[in-house]
Amino acid sequence: MNGVDSRQRVRPAGHLRRGVALVLDLVLHALVGAVVGVVVYIVQTAGQSVPPNVAEGTAGFAVIPAWLVFSFVHRTAIQARFHATFGKWMTGLCVVRPEDGTWPSFGYLVKAWFRSAGAALQSDTATDGEDGMPAVVRRQSESFDTL
């Protein structure tokens, strides 16, 4: 699937598939954040050294950086290696460079992550395949075992 002539073979992903993939990824990111929050709470209250209300606040604050760090790793390093996030993999999607249909590099995905984070802060929508964002397409006759 990787190569200049592969651009003709890729099929764009539909909105429903991409939406389901996004929801799966968001649930995974939230789950990781919640687990980190629970672990922080348990560690702080195990020795009774911190009052429960302080531990709850600290655990709550731990969720946000955990979510952000996991989101970054998941959408850059993991996606650079496997060409898909968990949600994309589960829905049969992958990412390619819109310019030539090749796999995006780690650096390309890091730039895309920061662009999408900036767009979220500005209440803007980063569009697939535009503004330096990778295009989300359906996998072509590729076994999930080859990820």
Side-chain angles (χ1 to χ4, degrees):
M1 176 161 175
N2 197 7
V4 175
D5 64 336
S6 66
R7 184 91 169 121
Q8 289 85 21
R9 295 188 322 219
V10 295
R11 292 184 296 178
H15 293 291
L16 180 61
R17 257 184 210 248
R18 288 190 326 209
V20 170
L22 176 65
V23 168
L24 289 172
D25 286 339
L26 289 176
V27 167
L28 179 63
H29 297 174
L31 183 63
V32 168
V35 166
V36 168
V38 168
V39 168
V40 167
Y41 179 80
I42 290 171
V43 166
Q44 287 188 335
T45 58
Q48 302 294 335
S49 61
V50 177
N53 59 343
V54 174
E56 289 171 6
T58 307
F61 283 124
V63 169
I64 296 167
W67 175 309
L68 289 173
V69 167
F70 184 73
S71 170
F72 179 81
V73 170
H74 186 229
R75 292 183 53 211
T76 57
I78 293 173
Q79 195 163 226
R81 170 64 179 97
F82 297 108
H83 315 299
T85 59
F86 173 75
K88 289 180 185 86
W89 181 75
M90 291 299 292
T91 55
L93 302 175
C94 64
V95 292
V96 295
R97 287 176 174 260
E99 305 87 34
D100 55 11
T102 59
W103 300 125
S105 66
F106 174 73
Y108 185 92
L109 293 170
V110 168
K111 290 177 193 171
W113 189 87
F114 280 107
R115 281 188 191 107
S116 66
L121 292 175
Q122 296 174 2
S123 299
D124 193 8
T125 304
T127 308
D128 288 346
E130 295 179 9
D131 301 326
M133 299 300 290
V136 179
V137 297
R138 293 179 74 176
R139 270 189 195 279
Q140 287 294 314
S141 64
E142 200 173 302
S143 168
F144 289 118
D145 296 334
T146 62
L147 290 177

